[in-house]
Amino acid sequence: ADKFKKENGLDYKPEQVIVNIGGKHSVYEAMQAVLDPGDEVIIGTPYWVTYPEAIKLAGAVIKVVQTNKANSYKMTPSQLEEAITDKTAMVLINSPSNPGGFTYTPEELKAIAKVLEGTNVMVLSDEIYEKLIYGDKKFVSFASLSEDAYNRTLTLNGFSKTFSMTGWRLGYTAGPLDAIKAMGRLQSHMTSNAVTFGQYAAIAALGEPAAQAIEDMRQEFERRGKYM
């Protein structure tokens, strides 16, 4: 909760945050807690391979929005508006994107948030690559855009990308209390909790000393990207 406040401008109480067994687990639990059979989930191409499988495991239906090169493969507000039906329960946003490599600008996200106002559509915002942005790109958490966005968004993050803690299996999700509580009830019967030593490692990772190591890694990735 402290990390969200300091880095993302998001005011979550501790009980609005759940620690999961990796980012995949976060995605799966969020889908299981929120979606009902027959619900539609809007997802833009290209997308990470786990998303459609987690949607299908929840009994929901994938509604793919075909993006194009002209718009850097980002879903436009008009595409989103056109895709929404009375069965739409969730839209999935992954920015910075894996495998797309793009990051939505704050203005682009605000336009998407505007389309969702007045609907019952939840947002799953996967922000696990938030620190790995390059050039003049600017990252912003979807839930921080407005009160409406905050109330409809599950914000997902983890330790595998920023901190290279892939094998430690720690992801976390924050959002509306009823959804987080539902994820907690589900997790208690699936995996109990994330291992304790991993949680202590995560506390250390979120501390100030890690900041320089993260920036060194980001600069090296940017150098390699330019080389490619």
Side-chain angles (χ1 to χ4, degrees):
D2 186 53
K3 176 260 186 256
F4 278 125
K5 182 77 172 173
K6 288 193 298 188
E7 298 186 3
N8 307 108
L10 289 168
D11 198 3
Y12 289 120
K13 295 181 176 69
E15 56 266 33
Q16 286 180 271
V17 184
I18 183 170
V19 178
N20 311 119
I21 320 298
K24 282 192 177 190
H25 193 209
S26 301
V27 171
Y28 175 80
E29 277 193 9
M31 301 288 189
Q32 291 291 324
V34 169
L35 300 175
D36 289 318
D39 281 349
E40 291 179 353
V41 179
I42 296 170
I43 180 170
T45 57
Y47 50 75
W48 182 41
V49 293
T50 291
Y51 296 145
E53 304 310 319
I55 293 166
K56 287 188 281 186
L57 284 165
V61 178
I62 307 151
K63 190 155 190 183
V64 175
V65 171
Q66 294 292 342
T67 60
N68 57 67
K69 185 180 178 181
N71 199 50
S72 301
Y73 300 101
K74 300 175 191 177
M75 180 166 51
T76 66
S78 59
Q79 284 181 312
L80 174 60
E81 196 164 19
E82 193 178 323
I84 293 174
T85 71
D86 57 0
K87 291 183 178 179
T88 306
M90 178 184 283
V91 58
L92 203 152
I93 296 171
N94 175 212
S95 177
S97 167
N98 169 25
F102 57 79
T103 303
Y104 283 88
T105 67
E107 293 70 31
E108 288 167 338
L109 288 179
K110 282 176 187 172
I112 286 173
K114 199 74 181 167
V115 170
L116 296 173
E117 288 180 8
T119 72
N120 292 318
V121 180
M122 284 197 75
V123 173
L124 181 62
S125 182
D126 185 347
E127 303 178 0
I128 199 164
Y129 286 93
E130 65 171 341
K131 300 291 186 186
L132 302 181
I133 54 174
Y134 312 107
D136 58 356
K137 298 291 187 297
K138 186 177 181 342
F139 169 80
V140 64
S141 282
F142 189 87
S144 70
L145 297 171
S146 66
E147 186 179 355
D148 182 86
Y150 176 88
N151 290 331
R152 71 173 68 249
T153 302
L154 285 167
T155 304
L156 186 154
N157 212 314
F159 292 86
S160 61
K161 312 307 175 190
T162 298
F163 302 102
S164 294
M165 289 169 62
T166 312
W168 293 79
R169 306 313 302 146
L170 277 170
Y172 56 98
T173 311
L177 187 58
D178 56 350
I180 297 300
K181 278 187 171 180
M183 290 174 68
R185 290 193 296 272
L186 178 65
Q187 180 162 293
S188 72
H189 296 293
M190 288 175 61
T191 59
S192 293
N193 57 271
V195 293
T196 308
F197 67 81
Q199 294 190 58
Y200 278 113
I203 291 168
L206 289 172
E208 204 58 44
Q212 189 56 52
I214 295 165
E215 178 56 18
D216 290 346
M217 196 159 49
R218 190 203 67 80
Q219 287 181 18
E220 175 60 18
F221 291 158
E222 185 164 39
R223 186 189 69 79
R224 294 178 193 177
K226 286 177 179 175
Y227 180 83
M228 291 297 293

